[in-house]
Amino acid sequence: MDNPVETIGIASARIARLAAIGVMLCAVAPALTAIALGVLLEPIGDATWGRLGYALAPGRGAALSLALIGAGIAALAAGLVVAYREYRRAGNFVAAAAELDERLGCDQEIVTLATLADPSAPESSRGRRTPLFPILWRRAIALFSGLDVRREFRLEVGKPLRRSSIFAGAVALAMVLATLGLVRAPTPENTEGAKLRAIAEEIARTSTSPDDSALAAKIREAANALENSKLPPEEKKARIEEAMRQADKAAQKRNNSQSGKNQGTGKSNAQNGNGKSQGQGNSAGSGSGEGKSATGSGQNMGGKSSGSGKGANGNNSGRNESGKGSAKDDKNNQRKGDQANLELHDELAKAEALVETANAKNPGADNQPGDDKNQGGANKPGDKPDQKGGSQPDANRPGSIPKPGANGERNIPAAGGNPKNNKDMGSNLGDTHLGEMPTSRNAQRFLKPGEKGATLGIKDARYVMFRLPGAASSGNSGKTVLDTDRPTATTGYVNAPLAPTSDDAPPDERQLVPPRYRDMIR
Amino acid sequence: MGAAPQQASPDQRVADFRKIFSRAESEVARVIVGHREVVRKTLTALFCGGHVLIEGVPGLGKTLMVKAASEALGLSFKRIQFTPDLMPSDIIGTQVLTESDGHREFQFKPGPIFAHMVLGDEINRATPKTQSAVLEAMEEHQVTVFGTTYVLDPPYIVLATQNPIELEGTYPLPEAQMDRFIFKVVMGSPRPDELREILNRTTGTAQTRIQPLFEPSRAPRAIEDLKALVREVMVAEPLERYIISVIGGCTPGGPGAIPEVSQYLRFGPSPRGAQALILCAKVNALLAGRVSVSYDDIDDAIVPCLRHRLLLNFQAEAESVSSESILEQVIKRLKKPRT
């Protein structure tokens, strides 16, 4: 090319393009990483913290996901803006000449030529030329003779990608830190709510009738109610039972519509409260069973539990972990819809059991002050000495002084229950690894004189909590009056006995006595 | 150098410049051993149209060098020994009463300043009054006596020497006068091999004769053409900005001034410093065979052009910080603009 100005122009355009591409490459990786993390946050959570038993609150998870996607889009937009600015900047004619100077090892000859032959300011640049300008022009032509601009200015992907990967790593790190800050151990209610929501999504996805859509909505409502700590338990239960009824209704309709094709249709009917499950089958007969629900209200308190667990319908008794109900299987009825229905019933039953458990553990939590007659008063020892399941009063409740003889194995995990339910998933059961204060779960209690209980070991106890009886208060007149409201103990409390001393040892062996006193003892 | 430079092609002129410069250096080197940098800067100043302040102890060959350069270029040479009792009229010249054809009239008798190359030896020994008499000649290339202005024939260059020792009874050059010198070059002591060569040349019988490059009648014109060629060398805008940033960087409180500048300097270089930088860089470019200035040409000129224009403060003198070290820091830290 004979015109060095054209060569500089071509180089300028190429440098500008490469600069813009480089900037975009820098921005693309972190942006795509952020967007991908935002979109895949749920599967990532299932594969990582979900496996460890932690979860993101649905609202926070969605917010984090949105934030990541937004950040990715913002990074892309910023990359576009910066790339455009870089394109404009790098497209400078004189700057391109300076770049050529460096590449060709010239001593600012090209940049001088560019200054004196800048197409953007032809008049001013021409005015600065001297009689020596032709020498410079010829020199530039000679320098550009073997120059291939495309080969000289190649697209280098490595450097921007390396830089980009650093940014992408930073985005991923930010996501990890954010999730570390937001992730929580889910409560059983959260877990159950998530399961119900998943079932609702599945039903909504495969819905073929308005009933299915209504059922999905009911299940979602039940899940929301289950997780809503402000709702009273009755309301929660009502929602769950409503969902159950809707599920039954939908299942019945489906079974009726397919009764002609099938040999028999099982009618599942889960009943609340007694743990019985009944199943009726047109062809396979009916079955009944009595199950001990793993989600029974006594579960977390250790010991046997019974009572409030729900058995699933008879034709799926083998699948129901919480029930022992037996029913004849109607193999013809094992369709996908029925399985989903069974699963739904199972989960709804668990949810209801959770509500009952929570209600039983904290009777005052139903937002009806006054219902709990024990509120504010000490439990009388021996009131319910054998109560191990069901509605146990919260021993840490104000005024609830632990009583001897009851719940001896309170701290012993339930042997027969679902181990999952024994985990303290961030609940108020006293584990302090999430910064919660200890509750009665870790507290030791006193024994009555002569009572033989489990060996008390306070060696590993983190806290020892005492409750002292209130002092007698004086009235307005200055007279000392008895505080009749204060909690009073009806049974004398003593400390747990110390380790027994060996009485057969001589007195001086029992306790070391200074030698000068030994004669006195003898 | 045969062809008239103005009629020659640009390439020829550039080639002639390099050849003349190189031959002048060689001719001076026939009588001056070593001090190549001082010789080069002296010739550079001549082609830039500036003046040189040479600092060095007595006996290093300052006078001989200037005399040799003038002989090599075919220019006239005068030497003025500055003393405390030297009067301005002793330098510039004076009116003398002459009689011709029965008429008496005052006739101007030019002083030693009327020469192409003037060596002002130990200029700091003269009084400020006498020193300032040289100012007009250096800057305006003319002198005024009794209201009559006399133009000094071009090329005109003053080479003043200063003795860094024996400062008692001297009058240090004022800053205004220092600024008029394009360079300050420092002549150091010769190395042992150079000293041996000096002894061989000056204590034997051999006579060294300098071959003039130009006939005395043609020399001024030829030198002026070469000076014009220097000014035709082109400078890119980014390099001009670099020079400006150098000046700003050396000025306390100036844009881009480094901390050392603000700490150790009272005053920085004037715009004359920037002019000196560009002219010197242009000569450097021509000597490198280029018609455009590079960053290296500028960096090479910074210390000799600016070292005497920086006014150190008391702290710098107390800590023995030199202006050269500050300038080197400035060169190191300044970023060279690309556009």
Side-chain angles (χ1 to χ4, degrees), chain A residues 92 94-96 98-99 102 107-109 111-112 115-116 124 128-136 138-139, chain B residues 10-11 13-14 229 231-240 286 289-296 338-339:
Chain A
N92 185 294
V94 178
E99 185 70 31
E102 280 182 17
D107 291 317
Q108 286 74 49
E109 287 170 287
V111 77
T112 308
T115 305
L116 301 177
S124 64
R128 299 183 62 196
R129 293 179 192 173
T130 68
L132 300 180
F133 183 74
I135 298 177
L136 194 62
R138 286 198 300 274
R139 171 88 174 136
Chain B
D11 298 279
R13 292 171 64 202
V14 173
L229 178 69
R231 293 183 179 254
E232 289 174 14
V233 173
M234 293 160 285
V235 187
E237 278 178 16
L239 283 90
E240 288 175 345
L286 280 176
R290 283 181 274 103
V291 293
S292 63
V293 171
S294 72
Y295 285 118
D296 290 340
R338 291 172 62 86
T339 57

Side-chain angles (χ1 to χ4, degrees), chain A residues 207-246:
Chain A
S207 71
T208 53
S209 65
D211 284 342
D212 288 343
S213 301
L215 175 61
K218 292 285 180 195
I219 295 169
R220 280 195 206 101
E221 280 179 18
N224 292 338
L226 180 65
E227 289 181 354
N228 190 350
S229 59
K230 292 177 182 172
L231 275 183
E234 286 75 16
E235 181 71 21
K236 291 182 184 180
K237 281 176 72 176
R239 296 266 175 92
I240 292 167
E241 281 164 5
E242 200 176 341
M244 274 183 174
R245 280 194 295 277
Q246 186 71 28

